[in-house]
Amino acid sequence: MNVQPTLATARLLLRPMTFADAPEVQRLAGEYAIAANALDIPYPYPPGAAEAWIAGHEEGFLLGEIAVFGVVLAGEDRLIGAIGLMHIDRRHQRGELGYWIGKPYWNRGYATEAASAIIAYGFAGLGLNRIYATHFIRNPASGRVLEKCGLVCEGRLRQHVKKWEVFEDVAIYGIVREDYRARGGAPDQRFRRT
Ligand SMILES: CC(C)(COP(=O)(O)OP(=O)(O)OC[C@H]1O[C@@H](n2cnc3c(N)ncnc32)[C@H](O)[C@@H]1OP(=O)(O)O)[C@@H](O)C(=O)NCCC(=O)NCCS
């Protein structure tokens, strides 16, 4: 059976989430600054929503549709965020990168470190050819994370999404396998399985 791995980076472990993570997901993702910048996170964050979200991860992984990881500080097993590949499309061998990091942990390079590992896993572990991501135009920090991970801005999709009853423009970023290799991305060197 295909088991979701745990990935290790210099400072982080990216591991499958469990129901024990739910209270911290609710606390961190429930902050307005997270919900406002992530398409599908509600505000206020309802009780039970974290458990319902986590409950779908294993089946989604086994179906080959998603690979969602909790981002934890190595050594402490303290959850600081979530990251993963969504909308995995086997026919086109592509997936959409998404993430959030709890506000107390911002601007320490954690999103970049985690995303780099997930990109390596997407190419090497899942055999993807393309990884893409979008962010609200009003959220440049996310664009910076993507740039630091080697994704290229491919354009602006006008009013592509509706967040809290407002149509919003998003920037779309992508990286393809050949670009990743060309920039020295030796997939197996950016993460290791524990
Ligand atoms: C976006 C997010 C994941 C970044 O996490 P993080 O761990 O702070 O990211 P990093 O520390 O790896 O990198 C952040 C970068 O953005 C930059 N940045 C921060 N605020 C910024 C702003 N207002 N404008 C431009 N750049 C900004 C930082 O300076 C840093 O770049 P640098 O290393 O060149 O200085 C985090 O802010 C978050 O979870 N936001 C809410 C949810 C969200 O936006 N998810 C993504 C949806 S697409």
Side-chain angles (χ1 to χ4, degrees), residues 37 99-101 106-109 111-112 134 139-140 142 144 148:
N37 287 304
Y99 44 76
W100 57 264
I101 296 290
W106 284 7
N107 294 319
R108 299 186 204 173
T112 304
T134 64
N139 183 21
S142 186
R144 182 74 193 117
K148 288 194 288 180

Side-chain angles (χ1 to χ4, degrees), residues 40-89:
D40 294 322
I41 297 181
Y43 186 82
Y45 201 96
E51 286 85 351
W53 178 58
I54 292 167
H57 290 181
E58 187 176 4
E59 186 183 5
F61 182 82
L62 293 174
L63 289 171
E65 295 170 349
I66 58 172
V68 180
F69 296 82
V71 179
V72 306
L73 297 179
E76 296 182 42
D77 199 35
R78 189 196 315 165
L79 187 100
I80 65 164
I83 191 162
L85 291 160
M86 272 64 75
H87 304 125
I88 296 172
D89 184 320

Side-chain angles (χ1 to χ4, degrees), residues 167-184:
F167 291 110
E168 294 212 41
D169 293 5
V170 299
I172 181 162
Y173 282 71
I175 184 169
V176 297
R177 176 182 281 269
E178 64 199 52
D179 296 347
Y180 185 71
R181 285 217 175 107
R183 69 189 292 271

